[in-house]
Amino acid sequence: MLVEQRFEEILKIVDEKRSVTVQELMDLLEASESTIRRDLTTLHSNGRLIKVHGGAIALGSNYNTKDDDVEARQLLNMAEKKMTAKYAASLIRANDFVYLDAGTTTEYIIDYLEEKHAVFVTNAISHARKLLKAGCTVYLIGGELKASTEAIVGNEAMMNLSKYNFTKGFFGTNGVSMKIGFTTPDLNEAMMKKAAFARCSDSYILCDPSKFNQISPITFAEFTEAKIITTNLEDASYKQCANVLEVNEDDLYRNI
């Protein structure tokens, strides 16, 4: 197949599916990974699609390239965030060694903690302060402090994470997509999340319905690698996924 023909086929597939992985394109076009990645780079440079980690999405898709400041995010979808956080808090047991990711939703978990004998590790200064005031044992990861999300990131932080083995980890995300996975705009923060994911026996993503079908530039985990706690899903296709749980007041003391 000529290069231009392959370009047109890729654009046709992306336009139909709206998002596609490199592996899907390899299978559909019977092309090598290096060829597909090179084609996506060219098409992205020409403004014909948007290349993301592990694949591509169509122009005009729900694509976010930056984080809002903490103050702005705290005011968004507050009721949904608190509901998911309350359920997540009910999953924590006395013998758990918990990783608590930076983020406004994960911070709400601390407000609902009934089990104070678990041990916590976090990369958020605000989380560490609240956990300490709540009477919990908490370890704060050291490293570079990111201003917009107040998260500690960078190589030093990831090296600190490598010595821990967590029973549970609770994470935020900017986007959820079945094909692209869990995404965030910042590379350093994505690498931090990815490193923490690798150290967790059970990983949970907390997100309100607005995050579904949103995509940011960096994938930090595949869709099937975590259990998702959310509320009031609008996209029925996610309701069929075994790792997605919609919670309400009646669910707050059920385990996933």
Side-chain angles (χ1 to χ4, degrees):
M1 183 182 294
L2 297 175
V3 174
E4 288 300 327
Q5 290 178 313
R6 195 168 59 247
F7 284 175
E8 291 305 315
E9 286 299 316
I10 290 173
L11 290 170
K12 180 180 177 182
I13 293 167
V14 171
D15 186 58
E16 289 176 353
K17 293 177 171 287
R18 307 306 294 170
S19 67
V20 67
T21 65
V22 170
Q23 186 62 55
E24 285 178 308
L25 290 173
M26 289 168 57
D27 294 340
L28 290 169
L29 300 178
E30 298 182 349
S32 69
E33 180 178 356
S34 60
T35 296
I36 294 299
R37 290 190 183 278
R38 186 170 58 249
D39 289 350
L40 293 181
T41 298
T42 301
L43 291 168
H44 177 90
S45 299
N46 293 339
R48 304 182 72 182
L49 51 69
I50 299 171
K51 182 182 178 183
V52 297
H53 183 79
I57 62 175
L59 295 174
S61 299
N62 294 328
Y63 190 75
N64 299 315
T65 59
K66 67 182 183 68
D67 271 318
D68 294 324
D69 290 339
V70 173
E71 291 81 1
R73 289 186 290 113
Q74 284 176 332
L75 301 176
L76 296 173
N77 305 304
M78 190 178 297
E80 289 86 353
K81 289 178 179 180
K82 289 185 175 181
M83 181 73 74
T84 58
K86 190 173 184 180
Y87 183 85
S90 75
L91 300 177
I92 296 172
R93 304 288 181 259
N95 62 342
D96 277 331
F97 188 46
V98 179
Y99 181 76
L100 201 58
D101 184 34
T104 54
T105 308
T106 52
E107 185 173 358
Y108 284 129
I109 291 176
I110 306 166
D111 297 333
Y112 298 106
L113 274 179
E114 294 187 2
E115 180 50 70
K116 303 299 175 67
H117 294 96
V119 176
F120 295 85
V121 176
T122 183
N123 69 325
I125 292 175
S126 60
H127 295 21
R129 186 183 301 116
K130 286 182 71 171
L131 285 162
L132 195 63
K133 288 183 178 180
C136 300
T137 300
V138 56
Y139 296 89
L140 180 63
I141 295 292
E144 176 189 351
L145 181 62
K146 181 184 172 187
S148 62
T149 60
E150 298 181 1
I152 296 172
V153 297
N155 290 334
E156 184 178 349
M158 287 192 289
M159 287 176 63
N160 288 335
L161 269 177
S162 66
K163 63 188 175 187
Y164 295 122
N165 297 295
F166 304 108
T167 57
K168 295 183 176 83
F170 297 93
F171 298 83
T173 187
N174 291 74
V176 177
S177 165
M178 288 186 197
K179 291 182 179 178
I180 305 299
F182 305 112
T183 56
T184 190
D186 184 84
L187 177 60
N188 285 332
E189 197 155 339
M191 294 302 99
M192 190 69 180
K193 291 174 186 285
K194 188 178 184 69
F197 249 80
R199 312 304 300 178
C200 294
S201 179
D202 291 304
S203 296
Y204 299 87
I205 292 285
L206 278 62
C207 62
D208 62 76
S210 70
K211 301 294 180 67
F212 286 81
N213 296 317
Q214 297 289 322
I215 298 172
S216 287
I218 313 296
T219 297
F220 61 88
E222 299 301 320
F223 179 76
T224 56
E225 290 181 337
K227 300 168 186 176
I228 304 170
I229 306 173
T230 189
T231 64
N232 304 316
L233 274 172
E234 297 177 0
D235 189 333
S237 63
Y238 287 94
K239 292 176 180 284
Q240 310 304 316
C241 298
N243 63 325
V244 176
L245 175 67
E246 291 181 85
V247 298
N248 54 48
E249 289 291 346
D250 295 332
D251 295 317
L252 292 180
Y253 298 100
R254 275 179 48 201
N255 287 333
I256 294 181

